[in-house]
Amino acid sequence: MGPVRTTYREALREALREALREDERVFLMGEDVGRYGGCFAVSLGLLEEFGPERVRDTPLSESAFVGAGIGAALGGRRPIVEIMTVNFSLLALDQILNNAATLSHMSGGQLAVPLVIRMTTGAGRQLAAQHSHSLEGWYAHIPGLRVVAPATVSDARGMLAPALASPDPVLLFEHAGLYASEGEADGGPVALDGAAVRRAGTDVSIVTYGGMLPTSLAAAERLAAEGTSAEVVDLRSLRPLDEDTVLASVARTHRLVVVDEGWRSGSLAAEVAARVAEQAFYDLDAPPERVCSAEVPVPYAAHLERATLPAVDDVVAAVRRTVG
């Protein structure tokens, strides 16, 4: 069977359906995942297909249901826990950081926590300061977790099965701005530890992930019309980071621009730039550039929200500075 054209949302739903169908240990739980079909309609129809034991609506207590997911994973199940948006994950941070991420280490490897936590991330939908965060970099800071950010329909379809097979907890960040995007999915599994070169180029490396991939590709398209060849690297995995792919790209292009929807201070963009500076300093012909969100709570007003987020113009301007 060849690639199927579908949406990011439908690809995630099909991945969930396949997981529930193929392994009785798998179940989905979270707020509104059942009768409502998910806050972003990802799980629509799964309750009717698999029943309330496999698709469980939970009370509004992130700490409780993430803790229940950890317990179920320790007990041999394969839970998929949906946290509605990334800001709500802060209410379960103790469970994620102090339990899920540490139990294998603290037990000397006797305990595994094969838990998948899905959450929506990112701004751009006028959900204001409390529902527009990009906190992936926080979680990528924590040893014991795997952190992935599918940016394409194919990755949305193919990352769940390897995540469920992992003995470690996996956090899967779905950017809300991507749900309606369309593309081809071949249905094959996608490795959780490798970056992907989405566009080859020779003059500058644009390194990005998640919801900023379309922005970066659009910037590369505009730059090509000006005669600048930009290579676009999609990190895909934020922990572990695929340094080799990033360093190989910089060795080809000798310039680096990192595009990250998170805030600039202490960001994942800072980590990528630092690693390149440490390990590929003499490959660089210009200082690395970072394009991040403005360091303010995300505004509600649409024009102000747009002004805070990295845009194509910002990426193009950063590339022009590095290319000189």
Side-chain angles (χ1 to χ4, degrees):
M1 182 177 170
V4 175
R5 189 158 187 85
T6 185
T7 66
Y8 186 94
R9 175 185 287 108
E10 289 162 349
L12 289 164
R13 185 185 305 134
E14 193 53 38
L16 289 168
R17 179 178 283 116
E18 180 181 70
L20 288 161
R21 187 186 299 132
E22 294 190 355
D23 189 342
E24 285 293 322
R25 298 174 299 171
V26 173
F27 68 97
L28 171 67
M29 70 173 174
E31 295 160 352
D32 288 333
V33 299
R35 282 184 296 173
Y36 190 68
C39 183
F40 295 90
V42 171
S43 55
L44 194 65
L46 296 182
L47 172 65
E48 291 76 10
E49 189 172 345
F50 296 99
E53 291 291 308
R54 308 287 304 284
V55 181
R56 292 171 170 260
D57 283 318
T58 65
L60 303 183
S61 176
E62 283 75 12
S63 182
F65 66 72
V66 172
I70 293 169
L74 290 168
R77 301 294 293 274
R78 291 293 184 271
I80 303 168
V81 174
E82 177 181 309
I83 297 177
M84 197 177 287
T85 50
V86 62
N87 56 289
F88 291 126
S89 73
L90 303 183
L91 297 163
L93 192 56
D94 177 53
Q95 293 286 7
I96 296 169
L97 194 157
N98 279 325
N99 290 323
T102 61
L103 285 170
S104 177
H105 166 80
M106 292 174 68
S107 68
Q110 295 177 83
L111 299 175
V113 186
L115 168 71
V116 175
I117 301 177
R118 298 175 40 243
M119 57 186 110
T120 302
T121 187
R125 297 158 292 131
Q126 280 192 271
L127 294 181
Q130 292 186 333
H131 293 76
S132 301
H133 296 88
S134 294
L135 302 179
E136 299 90 306
W138 285 18
Y139 289 103
H141 179 65
I142 301 172
L145 300 178
R146 283 181 170 270
V147 181
V148 295
T152 66
V153 168
S154 195
D155 282 0
R157 178 69 177 83
M159 280 186 169
L160 182 62
L164 285 166
S166 170
D168 301 315
V170 178
L171 272 55
L172 200 150
F173 286 91
E174 304 161 9
H175 196 286
L178 296 174
Y179 280 128
S181 63
E182 294 187 355
E184 291 190 339
D186 60 15
V190 174
L192 299 183
D193 53 5
V197 176
R198 300 297 187 189
R199 180 185 178 117
T202 57
D203 296 327
V204 61
S205 298
I206 301 175
V207 177
T208 191
Y209 69 91
M212 286 292 106
L213 179 62
T215 299
S216 299
L217 288 170
E221 194 71 30
R222 188 186 299 177
L223 288 159
E226 300 175 1
T228 299
S229 173
E231 182 153 292
V232 179
V233 178
D234 173 8
L235 289 172
R236 302 206 288 186
S237 171
L238 310 184
R239 185 176 190 101
L241 271 175
D242 179 5
E243 291 179 356
D244 292 344
T245 298
V246 174
L247 294 172
S249 179
V250 170
R252 286 190 292 272
T253 68
H254 307 292
R255 293 172 179 85
L256 173 68
V257 173
V258 190
V259 185
D260 176 3
E261 195 176 315
W263 292 304
R264 182 184 177 92
S265 298
S267 61
L268 193 75
E271 179 67 24
V272 173
R275 293 198 194 192
V276 170
E278 287 167 350
Q279 300 178 62
F281 183 79
Y282 294 104
D283 284 329
L284 289 168
D285 288 344
E289 288 270 350
R290 289 184 284 153
V291 181
C292 300
S293 289
E295 304 228 336
V296 296
V298 178
Y300 168 73
H303 66 295
L304 294 177
E305 182 181 39
R306 280 194 302 273
T308 67
L309 300 175
V312 172
D313 287 347
D314 302 320
V315 180
V316 169
V319 168
R320 287 174 180 158
R321 287 193 296 271
T322 65
V323 173

